[in-house]
Short mmCIF file of all heavy atoms in Angstrom, two decimals:
data_model
loop_
_atom_site.label_atom_id
_atom_site.label_comp_id
_atom_site.label_asym_id
_atom_site.label_seq_id
_atom_site.Cartn_x
_atom_site.Cartn_y
_atom_site.Cartn_z
N ARG Y 1133 -108.28 -32.84 24.93
CA ARG Y 1133 -107.65 -32.96 23.71
C ARG Y 1133 -106.06 -33.08 24.11
O ARG Y 1133 -105.40 -33.92 23.67
CB ARG Y 1133 -107.66 -31.91 22.72
CG ARG Y 1133 -106.79 -31.68 21.47
CD ARG Y 1133 -106.71 -30.38 20.91
NE ARG Y 1133 -106.21 -29.37 22.01
CZ ARG Y 1133 -106.44 -28.12 21.96
NH1 ARG Y 1133 -107.26 -27.73 21.15
NH2 ARG Y 1133 -105.94 -27.34 23.00
N ASP Y 1134 -105.67 -32.08 24.97
CA ASP Y 1134 -104.28 -32.01 25.40
C ASP Y 1134 -103.82 -33.27 26.13
O ASP Y 1134 -102.68 -33.58 26.01
CB ASP Y 1134 -103.98 -30.69 26.15
CG ASP Y 1134 -104.18 -29.46 25.38
OD1 ASP Y 1134 -104.14 -29.57 24.11
OD2 ASP Y 1134 -104.30 -28.35 25.88
N LEU Y 1135 -104.73 -33.75 26.95
CA LEU Y 1135 -104.46 -34.91 27.79
C LEU Y 1135 -104.14 -36.22 26.85
O LEU Y 1135 -103.24 -36.88 27.05
CB LEU Y 1135 -105.53 -35.33 28.78
CG LEU Y 1135 -105.10 -36.29 29.81
CD1 LEU Y 1135 -103.82 -35.72 30.79
CD2 LEU Y 1135 -106.22 -36.54 30.82
N VAL Y 1136 -104.93 -36.27 25.75
CA VAL Y 1136 -104.74 -37.37 24.77
C VAL Y 1136 -103.54 -37.15 24.03
O VAL Y 1136 -102.63 -38.08 23.78
CB VAL Y 1136 -106.00 -37.58 23.81
CG1 VAL Y 1136 -105.71 -38.50 22.76
CG2 VAL Y 1136 -107.19 -38.03 24.75
N VAL Y 1137 -103.28 -35.92 23.51
CA VAL Y 1137 -102.14 -35.68 22.72
C VAL Y 1137 -100.75 -36.02 23.57
O VAL Y 1137 -99.76 -36.45 22.95
CB VAL Y 1137 -102.06 -34.27 22.23
CG1 VAL Y 1137 -100.76 -33.70 21.64
CG2 VAL Y 1137 -103.24 -33.94 21.16
N SER Y 1138 -100.91 -35.61 24.84
CA SER Y 1138 -99.65 -35.85 25.63
C SER Y 1138 -99.41 -37.37 26.16
O SER Y 1138 -98.31 -37.56 26.79
CB SER Y 1138 -99.73 -34.93 26.94
OG SER Y 1138 -100.81 -35.40 27.82
N GLY Y 1139 -100.40 -38.12 25.86
CA GLY Y 1139 -100.34 -39.58 26.31
C GLY Y 1139 -100.89 -39.89 27.51
O GLY Y 1139 -100.83 -40.95 28.05
N GLY Y 1140 -101.54 -38.80 28.20
CA GLY Y 1140 -102.15 -39.08 29.62
C GLY Y 1140 -103.44 -39.71 29.48
O GLY Y 1140 -103.96 -40.32 30.38
N ALA Y 1141 -104.10 -39.71 28.30
CA ALA Y 1141 -105.45 -40.46 28.08
C ALA Y 1141 -105.43 -41.03 26.59
O ALA Y 1141 -104.57 -40.74 25.82
CB ALA Y 1141 -106.59 -39.59 28.29
N PRO Y 1160 -101.28 -35.95 16.95
CA PRO Y 1160 -101.34 -37.41 16.64
C PRO Y 1160 -102.66 -38.06 17.22
O PRO Y 1160 -102.64 -38.97 17.97
CB PRO Y 1160 -100.14 -37.92 17.43
CG PRO Y 1160 -99.97 -36.98 18.67
CD PRO Y 1160 -100.53 -35.71 18.15
#
Side-chain angles (χ1 to χ4, degrees):
R1133 172 204 63 206
D1134 292 346
L1135 193 60
V1136 171
V1137 169
S1138 68

